[in-house]
Amino acid sequence: MDSAEYEGKIASRFAAFDQDGSGYIDREDFSGAAAALLAEFGTTARSVKGQALYSGAEAFWQGMAGIADVDGDQRVSRQEFVTGAVKRLRDNPRRFAEIARPFLHALIAIVDEDGAGVTPKAAERALRVLGVAPDSAAAAAARLDGDGDGRIHEEEILAGFAAYYVTPEP
């Protein structure tokens, strides 16, 4: 994949973060995603798990803003997102996953119903809430179970997250 194709791929991922369709990624997109996930999984915002998800969303936002908000206006434009991903993350996609880790860790605590790992069905539900089309969400959730044990664990989620957002596709 050449640089222009890679930039196009990253630009297409922008919409997943721009939850409200404003044309920018901002703090409200992250807190809105957290609220929608809590509602989907029947978790209250004031619970320990709810507060952890909001804290993780804030940490994720701060990490993204630190990488991509070049002009410091507390929002990330599509171009800033593409530039941030291409210039800062292409050679180290795990860095992006590490920025998301607090959010993903808190999300796992909510969707992992029995402590044995996230089921592909629960992962699919979460992906749909985050704006992934239903057929794509089902396929992505199935791919996340890398070891085929029927459960998706945190490291599988982090690896899948990094690959989806910043790793060039073959």
Side-chain angles (χ1 to χ4, degrees), residues 149-163:
D149 68 353
R151 298 299 178 130
I152 306 165
H153 304 283
E154 187 166 335
E155 288 308 313
E156 291 171 314
I157 290 170
L158 287 170
F161 183 85

Side-chain angles (χ1 to χ4, degrees), residues 10-11 18 23 39 45 55 67 70 72 80 97 101 105 113 136 141 152-153 155:
I10 298 305
D18 184 14
S55 293
I67 287 172
V70 177
E80 286 175 320
R101 185 184 286 270
H105 182 78
E113 297 141 353
S136 297
I152 306 165
H153 304 283
E155 288 308 313

Side-chain angles (χ1 to χ4, degrees), residues 35-121:
L37 287 161
L38 292 173
E40 174 69 21
F41 289 94
T43 304
T44 62
R46 291 186 183 230
S47 68
V48 172
K49 289 180 179 182
Q51 289 299 298
L53 188 63
Y54 276 113
S55 293
E58 176 63 20
F60 192 4
W61 160 246
Q62 290 296 327
M64 180 180 286
I67 287 172
D69 183 17
V70 177
D71 60 12
D73 66 354
Q74 292 299 299
R75 59 187 193 169
V76 176
S77 69
R78 185 172 187 257
Q79 186 56 48
E80 286 175 320
F81 183 77
V82 170
T83 302
V86 171
K87 289 189 175 174
R88 295 181 178 91
L89 302 173
R90 186 173 188 173
D91 294 332
N92 188 2
R94 291 291 294 189
R95 181 172 177 217
F96 195 55
E98 289 305 320
I99 290 167
R101 185 184 286 270
F103 177 75
L104 294 172
H105 182 78
L107 178 58
I108 290 165
I110 290 167
V111 302
D112 182 355
E113 297 141 353
D114 61 7
V118 177
T119 65
K121 273 292 188 206

Side-chain angles (χ1 to χ4, degrees), residues 130-151:
L130 294 173
V132 177
D135 56 333
S136 297
R143 280 192 308 272
L144 284 172
D145 184 14
D147 60 11
D149 68 353
R151 298 299 178 130

